[in-house]
Amino acid sequence: MTSRSRHPGETAGQAAPGTASAELLRSEPGTRPRALLLSAGLVAAGAVALAVGALMPAVRGGSPGFTAWPLLVVLALAPAVAVLYAVTTGRSGLAAGLVLGLTALAPGRLLLDLQLLADGSLASRPELFLADRLLTLPPAGPGLWPLVAGHLLTLAAGAFAAGTARDEAELAGELDGRRRWRLLGPVLGVAGGIGLLLAPIGSGNAYLLAKNAFEGPTVAMAGYLLLAALLPLTVLVAVSSPSAGVGKGGFAGAGLAALAVGVPQVVAGLVVDRLSVALGSVLVTVAGLALAGLAFTRFDVAEAAETVDGDLAGEARLPGLFWWRLATGGLALLAAGAAVAGALTPVLTANGPTPVPETPSRWLLLGAAVVLAVPALFVFVPRLSAFARGVVAATWAGVVLAAAAVLSAALSVTEDKAVDPASFGVDLPLPLPDKVGYSAGPGVTWTFVALALAAVAALAAVITGVVERDVSDDGGMDEPRANSTVLTPVVAAAVLAIAAFGTPVFTAPGYTAPGLWSDFGAASWGLLGALAVVLGLYALVPRSRPIAAAAAVAGAALVLGLRAAELPLVGSEYDGSAAGIGFWLALGAAVVSLVAGGMAVTGSRRSA
């Protein structure tokens, strides 16, 4: 049964009473009623364990910064109540989606709690523990183990719910191409992921230093990175589910899990002395609320058609290709503007009379801003919008490449700086060092903003491409594809690109270039990210329409050109610099990419 053949009043993943799908928990062949009931039981047990953990001290001899247990109990039990409600009302798709949404974020939340075991004095968890004196490796308290058990039970629940979600998807049939509000989900997922990478709380307390994910302790950093990656991925999987019930449940589950991470930090910033609300936790909280709210909206045309009569039902589609193009171009220009600000404002500030070193990578960030801004301007030109949008979907990777280099330079200088405890408003019983070293300047903040906006602009560009295909009569299924002979230059360009990002663009006495195979550092993440985007574009070319294929390889060529431009932009800042093998490989890959783009538009083939 597909979404086109359901009875009136029946939606994907949720049927009207009296139909076969409405009896899914009890009698539908091929479904897993016992598995879903077991999954709901495990989620409920995990919620109870999390609530019990909130009532007990997580660190032995320590206490939370405020009376947080009522809030934590509500945040722990609310998802379980939603799952049990969905199960008892026969909404198996919704229940399975809720469980999977909670399960996806459970590993990251588990790691955040395990930081209390590794070293609670470094954990930014005022809802569970806030030190009031200098502590070294405080022992874990009895409350930590129920928290760990709760996350493990949630993980186990997901294993049993996956089969039901798969059955619901098969019952729903093919995904309707004309999506509605569900396309806003990935944007919210990325926004929440960005918030998870920022400092969760502002602090004027000497015993709780406000740090972002990359500056924090190792276990917590792994947890935040995992959450930041899995939140948008979970939402994207929910968007792609043919079952509206599973999709809505995935949105709600991911949103409730995000709220469990963000809300306690926001409340702590509001009520705890010398703590303040930070942008990171606000973004996570807003994204969680919005994702949960999207679960109450119609997900596709099939749902709208069941409640709207006449021709209006056929018109229910995501409003405004114009608005999506406006969002893509506008976000890309904002990202470029933030990158310019990051390049031109000080990346470092001195805490004393020490001279401030320059950051050569700032010129690469300026170049990345230009590479992103130029195609973004043409997104507003109707005849060129589709091509320019495809280029923007690639050139945002240039901001990733340059921003990682800038942030790496800043972190390498500031990570060992001395701290001035007097600025925290407390007196410590130890001799204090003079305030020396460097602090992150406004350029670091602008670079972070540029990186976040570039990621959101890329996602908007992808969604705009989906909407562009939706507005055509056939969804683009019968349009010509790129010439099959384009595969040869694309493979050659991919090989050259891997080598170009893995070898130095320039060499200089005393300079060690970040790499992928050796000398892997913070800047190497930018290389890896840009390479992943380029390779992903190459992989899509053979099955793309000629214009889309040409846009993809043109954008890849611009990113490779930016990689080669490190020689004049960054290498010129070093005495005795010379071109490295990576410079020639990047140029070669860019040229081959342009050749592939030309071949893509000169010949075409019909899809089978």
Side-chain angles (χ1 to χ4, degrees), residues 7 13 122 129 177 278 281 310 320 398 456 486 535:
H7 300 289
L122 300 178
F129 170 65
S281 55
V456 178
V486 78
L535 293 180

Side-chain angles (χ1 to χ4, degrees), residues 105-120:
L105 271 64
R109 295 177 62 190
L110 174 61
L111 288 173
L112 293 185
D113 288 343
L114 287 177
Q115 179 58 52
L116 295 170
L117 177 63
D119 188 352

Side-chain angles (χ1 to χ4, degrees), residues 32-63:
R32 300 166 172 82
R34 294 181 180 176
L36 186 59
L37 289 173
L38 180 57
S39 177
L42 289 171
V43 166
V48 171
L50 292 173
V52 170
L55 297 172
M56 304 168 66
V59 173
R60 193 176 302 277
S63 60

Side-chain angles (χ1 to χ4, degrees), residues 386-392 394 537 541 545-557 597 600-601:
F387 181 85
R389 188 268 314 159
V391 176
V392 167
L537 294 169
V541 166
R545 293 165 292 166
I547 296 299
V553 293
V601 296

Side-chain angles (χ1 to χ4, degrees), residues 151-242:
H151 297 312
L152 293 177
L153 288 169
T154 305
L155 281 171
F160 291 100
T164 299
R166 185 164 55 250
D167 290 343
E168 284 291 313
E170 292 175 356
L171 286 171
E174 296 295 328
L175 177 66
D176 195 309
R178 292 172 294 179
R179 305 160 182 84
R180 294 189 68 186
W181 297 108
R182 66 164 71 189
L183 288 180
L184 297 177
V187 177
L188 295 170
V190 171
I194 292 169
L196 288 163
L197 297 178
L198 301 177
I201 201 166
S203 176
N205 187 322
Y207 306 113
L208 178 60
L209 301 182
K211 296 183 178 181
N212 61 45
F214 300 100
E215 297 173 324
T218 303
V219 179
M221 178 183 69
Y224 281 120
L225 291 178
L226 194 58
L227 286 170
L230 289 179
L231 177 59
L233 180 60
T234 302
V235 175
L236 196 60
V237 171
V239 165
S240 64
S241 175

